[in-house]
Amino acid sequence: MAAGGSLSIVEYFGGDDGYRCGYCKHENGNFSHGMWSHTMTVQDYQDLIDRGWRRSGKYVYKPIMNKTCCPQYTIRCHALNFHPSKTHKKTLKKVNRFLSKGEMPVEKHDEGHEGEPMDSVHEEGVQPPPQDPLKIDHSEVQDISTSPDTDTTNSAAPTSPRDDAEKTTNVTPKPGKGADPNRPLCRKAKDLRKERRLQKEQQKQQEAVSSSVNPAPSKSASNQPKSLEGFITESLPSDPLHRLEVRLVPVSFEDPDFLASYEESAALYARYQMTVHGDAPYECGESQFKRFLCDSPLEAETAPDGPDVGYGSFHQQYWLDGTIVAVGVLDILPSCVSSVYLYYHPDFSSLSLGTYSALREIAFTRQLQQQSPKLSYYYLGFYVHSCPKMRYKGQYRPSDLLCPETYTWVPIERCIPRLDISAYSRLNENAQAGFILVWIADLGRPLVLFDLPLR
């Protein structure tokens, strides 16, 4: 546990020079304040990210919002009120089908999160344009009109005299022609739909009878939507074909679990960066992995009212049949779980592991909240509205964006119309809102080190 007198030690680097933007690729349009954090308490970092800062390794930076080319707004999701969307449910079912039956989807894209400290988020794959709708409709009409049980009197298709004769003359079909007696007769689509409706009504009546014999605990409970946790474990048999285990390990070279998986995790990171982001081997070696995803300024802390795992930086590892296939880098802070980065095995990209891991991290946040009531938010990093591939973060709702002028949280639904007009915007509509008074009580805390000797 961190001592009560622990201090955060940082070196401020300024923010006057422009750098290359990883979103729009502007050569010198990215402006941000930056500082090197030698050590930092989790509460100080919580306060910083609630003021628009974010870390990459031990480097902590804050975009100069009204100056940078692509403004980056801190985004948080209300984990307790989160309900998965239709797309999220499809992703969970897709992963569960793979785990239970080994079904691997054909398409290869991921609409999930991957973290942007390196400004290299995997863009969702662009699907080819759909087939001409007129051709699709025409083929469907042909399939129906050529059915033996379909009325063709109003068909616009031309017919030959031979066709007319076959329609009006009762001729015994020659061998090899006519309906196959071993197959069921073709039926009208309207009749099939009617039969399905009757079957559903009969099933509802049977369920009503069974529920009257064995009534549910309460009617309201039965009407409750399925929870996120329910979708995560849905349809998984007791003995699935593949076994997925999620392990949380602290980022510490003194932790045996972290050390035991370090080399395998570093190799997975390199493979991901080279395959998905096109990095050269020297750009994603062991030293880069350690500096970027293992070196953290956060002090590991525990608190009486905190979660059992404590606070600090962690790797959430996804083990598939005894092999690491994905790792989510997380910071557990007093009020939130903050997503730092995600890397995964490229062979499993069709499982949308970015989306899947984000949903698992939201569920993890809800689990921690049961132990620490104030820990109730899931931070997804930065939302960049001017970069279309970064807008997916707004799909995890309800969510808020941080106003860059008042440092208050604003529901994203109210922010998007403003951001559609201008990449930078004051999100808080209250002209009187401000933040100056927030800092008055803490003016005595900062200490400044100067004239430090070079070592």
Side-chain angles (χ1 to χ4, degrees), residues 6-260:
S6 294
L7 296 174
S8 298
I9 303 176
V10 298
E11 293 181 64
Y12 179 65
F13 289 154
D16 296 331
D17 298 329
Y19 299 91
R20 184 175 185 272
C21 176
Y23 301 107
C24 69
K25 311 306 178 185
H26 193 293
E27 287 301 324
N28 56 358
N30 183 11
F31 290 86
S32 64
H33 300 286
M35 56 187 179
W36 186 263
S37 177
H38 295 274
T39 182
M40 183 170 290
T41 64
V42 292
Q43 185 59 59
D44 282 345
Y45 185 57
Q46 177 73 68
D47 294 338
L48 282 173
I49 64 173
D50 286 337
R51 295 294 182 271
W53 293 77
R54 181 163 170 78
R55 78 174 184 89
S56 174
K58 288 190 174 183
Y59 183 73
V60 187
Y61 62 100
K62 180 184 186 298
I64 303 178
M65 297 289 284
N66 59 354
K67 187 176 181 181
T68 192
C69 54
C70 296
Q72 303 155 54
Y73 298 85
T74 302
I75 181 172
R76 71 178 186 181
C77 170
H78 295 252
L80 300 184
N81 298 326
F82 172 79
H83 293 290
S85 67
K86 187 175 181 179
T87 300
H88 298 151
K89 295 174 185 177
K90 287 183 178 180
T91 298
L92 294 173
K93 292 179 180 179
K94 178 168 56 176
V95 173
N96 287 346
R97 282 196 302 268
F98 169 75
L99 295 176
S100 58
K101 301 178 181 179
E103 296 180 5
M104 180 68 78
V106 177
E107 70 275 8
K108 291 188 176 182
H109 67 272
D110 192 348
E111 59 267 351
H113 78 149
E114 312 205 1
E116 70 284 353
M118 296 181 71
D119 296 333
S120 55
V121 178
H122 180 41
E123 184 173 3
E124 179 178 350
V126 179
Q127 299 296 329
Q131 192 178 359
D132 186 355
L134 294 178
K135 293 181 180 179
I136 295 175
D137 291 342
H138 181 64
S139 64
E140 291 176 352
V141 171
Q142 281 186 331
D143 290 340
I144 297 175
S145 64
T146 54
S147 173
D149 296 332
T150 303
D151 184 7
T152 58
T153 56
N154 295 327
S155 174
T159 59
S160 64
R162 176 180 176 87
D163 294 332
D164 293 335
E166 289 180 354
K167 290 178 183 178
T168 57
T169 306
N170 186 12
V171 181
T172 303
K174 297 180 180 180
K177 294 184 178 181
D180 186 348
N182 297 323
R183 303 182 67 179
L185 295 176
C186 296
R187 304 173 59 189
K188 291 184 178 180
K190 179 174 67 174
D191 295 336
L192 292 174
R193 290 194 296 268
K194 183 177 180 181
E195 182 177 338
R196 283 196 293 267
R197 283 198 301 269
L198 292 175
Q199 290 176 350
K200 289 183 179 179
E201 291 176 1
Q202 292 175 357
Q203 184 178 0
K204 290 180 180 179
Q205 292 176 358
Q206 293 175 356
E207 291 176 353
V209 172
S210 61
S211 62
S212 62
V213 176
N214 299 312
S218 64
K219 184 176 180 180
S220 60
S222 62
N223 293 333
Q224 290 293 329
K226 186 180 297 185
S227 67
L228 170 62
E229 292 78 5
F231 282 106
I232 290 176
T233 59
E234 183 184 34
S235 304
L236 281 179
S238 58
D239 55 342
L241 184 63
H242 298 289
R243 293 194 175 274
L244 180 67
E245 180 184 0
V246 182
R247 303 178 188 174
L248 185 74
V249 296
V251 179
S252 171
F253 287 94
E254 298 179 358
D255 183 83
D257 293 330
F258 180 79
L259 280 176

Side-chain angles (χ1 to χ4, degrees), residues 335-366:
S335 300
C336 72
V337 170
S338 175
S339 174
V340 178
Y341 202 67
L342 172 82
Y343 54 97
Y344 57 81
H345 198 297
D347 289 351
F348 298 94
S349 61
S350 62
L351 292 177
S352 301
L353 293 181
T355 299
Y356 182 77
S357 63
L359 297 173
R360 292 294 299 245
E361 289 169 8
I362 293 175
F364 179 57
T365 304
R366 291 151 67 116

